Amino acid sequence: MLKGKHIILGVSSSISCYKSAVLARELVKQGAEVQVIMTENATQFITPFTFEQLTKHKCIVDTFDHNYEISVKHISMADWADAIVVAPADANVVAKFAHGLADDMLSTTMLACDCTKIIATAMNTKMYENPATQYNLAVLRTRNFYIIEPVEGSLACGAVGKGKMEEPQTIAEYLDYLIGQEKDLNGKRILITAGPTRESLDPVRFISNHSTGKMGYALAKVASQRGADVTLVSGPTSLSVPLHVKRVDTVSAEDMFREVTARADEQDIIIMAAAVADYRPKYVADEKIKKMDGSSSLELERTKDILKTLGQNRKSGQVLCGFSMETENMLENSRGKLERKNLDMIIANNLKQEGAGFGTNTNVVTMISKEKEEELPMMSKEEVASHILDRLKEFL
Ligand code: CTP
């Protein structure tokens, strides 16, 4: 999380400057203090006033601006920052950073910064592909700059190719990944399942549930930000895969069973956050069409219990966590599952509670282990994820 982090947002000259305003807004929304430095040319595309309104700080353009709240300007700004992100970074500032030039406030501050440095490049495709730019980027990589490559698309100059600045949301996520969390799960391998499963009735229809995958994806995102090596085995969802997370796509419970059990032995922690459909049709599709033709009802069988299988076969030291969605007797039923499936912890949701369960961005959960039960107040799914990971870490 970026709450309380100090971020310098550098804005250089490119039409994608308009996206920098969205980025500034996003960082402020996440609780960061944002100080914007623009190049003189960038002010042709967007005014400093826009950033001042969004960040509530004076936007710096001129190195010799005396009307500025931090007294020693570029040096104290550099010391103040947890990260500097230049978005967009045009070919000119990339060249200046690579050669250590310091002829304006942005390049001077960059030279004085020893915090995390990120640049999100944006320029015409030919300028980007030019060996001079590629050489400069290679130099910056060796100096521990994080480079967010431009994406392909149709550019404002009329060309089609690589050159558009990455979306503000993705740049903010990148920052969050780099400075938002302590890397206390470094080197830990964590497998998380998320989303629903689908059991086909025929080529058109299926049995499934209302899971959107948000809780599992939040866990994957936070675990990855905390340094874990995360594999996300996902049922069908519309969510995008968090940064540096390996996603394995699955559809049915059988697929999920296969993909999870194949990787189980390598994991330090496994969290089954998927809402696995409990039943699937007993027959093959063709038989069903005959059966459903007026005469007979649908026959179902239980899907394989993935979590129970993991609990029966887990290697020593591996931590296992499940979820339990209940409409009644939440604690009692969840404790039963903890025992039956041989888990270290089960996360219980009461589906009848407002702000909990499927589709929402918040959750209300009780974390249950053999020794203790802890009910968390309503909070975002990412905050819930943080609490769950804190507790699971204690079992390692
Ligand atoms: N689970 C699983 N495989 C299944 C069904 C569930 O791995 N076939 C996992 C879920 O991912 C969850 C936990 O088991 O982490 C509890 O799921 P839940 O559906 O609440 O429990 P069930 O054991 O299926 O019991 P019931 O449906 O009777 O409540």
Side-chain angles (χ1 to χ4, degrees):
M1 270 167 270
L2 294 172
K3 196 157 187 260
K5 297 288 178 191
H6 293 172
I7 296 167
I8 297 174
L9 172 58
V11 179
S12 66
S13 149
S14 148
I15 182 61
S16 50
C17 277
Y18 74 95
K19 291 187 187 170
S20 313
V22 181
L23 177 58
R25 174 82 192 106
E26 180 60 30
L27 300 177
V28 169
K29 236 169 63 186
Q30 292 194 24
E33 287 259 356
V34 181
Q35 176 71 65
V36 178
I37 304 177
M38 299 178 77
T39 63
E40 186 72 46
N41 288 346
T43 64
Q44 298 290 322
F45 289 96
I46 185 167
T47 72
F49 185 69
T50 305
F51 291 111
E52 287 172 356
Q53 292 304 303
L54 292 169
T55 64
K56 311 289 179 234
H57 286 292
K58 184 166 166 55
C59 173
I60 315 291
V61 183
D62 175 4
T63 319
F64 301 102
D65 186 346
H66 293 292
N67 182 22
Y68 177 52
E69 61 208 67
I70 297 179
S71 54
V72 201
K73 299 180 187 162
H74 59 275
I75 302 295
S76 51
M77 286 256 287
D79 289 345
W80 168 88
D82 294 306
I84 177 166
V85 54
V86 182
D90 63 18
N92 189 45
V93 295
V94 167
K96 286 209 256 183
F97 299 156
H99 291 86
L101 297 182
D103 62 354
D104 62 6
M105 187 62 174
L106 181 56
S107 53
T108 309
T109 306
M110 182 60 94
L111 203 56
C113 273
D114 56 9
C115 60
T116 303
K117 298 177 187 124
I118 304 161
I119 59 173
T121 46
M123 62 195 80
N124 162 276
T125 310
K126 286 196 174 139
M127 291 169 80
Y128 176 71
E129 287 171 352
N130 189 298
T133 304
Q134 288 304 315
Y135 174 81
N136 291 334
L137 288 170
V139 167
L140 292 177
R141 279 193 191 93
T142 65
R143 295 189 191 144
N144 295 328
F145 277 65
Y146 293 93
I147 317 282
I148 302 182
E149 304 254 336
V151 290
E152 285 197 30
S154 66
L155 309 182
C157 59
V160 177
K162 213 169 173 182
K164 281 158 74 93
M165 187 176 87
E166 184 52 273
E167 290 308 314
Q169 198 61 45
T170 309
I171 299 172
E173 195 185 336
Y174 207 92
L175 254 169
D176 199 6
Y177 176 80
L178 290 174
I179 64 162
Q181 305 274 352
E182 196 194 328
K183 303 285 181 237
D184 62 338
L185 294 172
N186 236 345
K188 298 293 171 215
R189 286 152 306 174
I190 305 187
L191 186 145
I192 297 163
T193 67
T197 63
R198 277 183 193 166
E199 306 303 329
S200 287
L201 296 169
D202 61 29
V204 179
R205 290 164 294 175
F206 54 79
I207 299 174
S208 191
N209 56 61
H210 293 296
S211 169
T212 56
K214 282 184 177 171
M215 190 61 239
Y217 275 64
L219 276 160
K221 180 177 171 182
V222 176
S224 163
Q225 285 174 348
R226 286 170 64 163
D229 175 0
V230 181
T231 305
L232 177 63
V233 179
S234 176
T237 75
S238 57
L239 302 173
S240 47
V241 53
L243 208 62
H244 302 309
V245 166
K246 289 187 285 294
R247 182 169 72 187
V248 178
D249 288 317
T250 58
V251 178
S252 65
E254 190 66 34
D255 287 344
M256 193 172 272
F257 182 90
R258 191 182 56 248
E259 299 296 348
V260 170
T261 51
R263 293 169 174 80
D265 282 352
E266 305 152 13
Q267 309 301 326
D268 298 304
I269 300 177
I270 302 180
I271 308 173
M272 282 290 302
V276 184
D278 285 331
Y279 293 95
R280 63 177 197 169
K282 208 168 174 181
Y283 42 73
V284 295
D286 286 350
E287 276 177 57
K288 186 209 61 102
I289 291 161
K290 270 187 261 151
K291 275 191 168 181
M292 286 195 62
D293 195 12
S295 57
S296 154
S297 62
L298 189 57
E299 265 190 77
L300 297 171
E301 64 183 357
R302 279 198 86 98
T303 52
K304 280 184 200 158
D305 193 324
I306 307 168
L307 191 52
K308 195 167 170 197
T309 309
L310 294 173
Q312 284 162 348
N313 300 300
R314 70 165 151 165
K315 60 167 193 186
S316 87
Q318 184 178 69
V319 178
L320 203 52
C321 174
F323 271 71
S324 149
M325 294 237 170
E326 307 290 340
T327 48
E328 50 203 19
N329 302 330
M330 180 184 84
L331 293 178
E332 203 182 311
N333 290 345
S334 303
R335 279 189 220 114
K337 287 175 195 174
L338 180 83
E339 190 70 31
R340 225 176 25 252
K341 303 196 186 200
N342 187 25
L343 311 179
D344 295 298
M345 195 155 83
I346 192 148
I347 313 299
N349 286 122
N350 182 344
L351 285 183
K352 285 189 174 156
Q353 188 153 2
E354 191 144 335
F358 295 133
T360 57
N361 290 322
T362 56
N363 213 352
V364 187
V365 305
T366 303
M367 302 190 289
I368 304 171
S369 62
K370 284 187 193 94
E371 298 74 32
K372 61 176 169 183
E373 277 172 25
E374 186 183 347
E375 190 184 342
L376 299 177
M378 190 183 350
M379 55 180 76
S380 74
K381 285 187 171 165
E382 283 185 26
E383 286 167 320
V384 172
S386 260
H387 283 275
I388 293 172
L389 292 166
D390 285 347
R391 281 291 304 279
L392 292 178
K393 215 176 80 177
E394 292 169 12
F395 290 99
L396 285 171

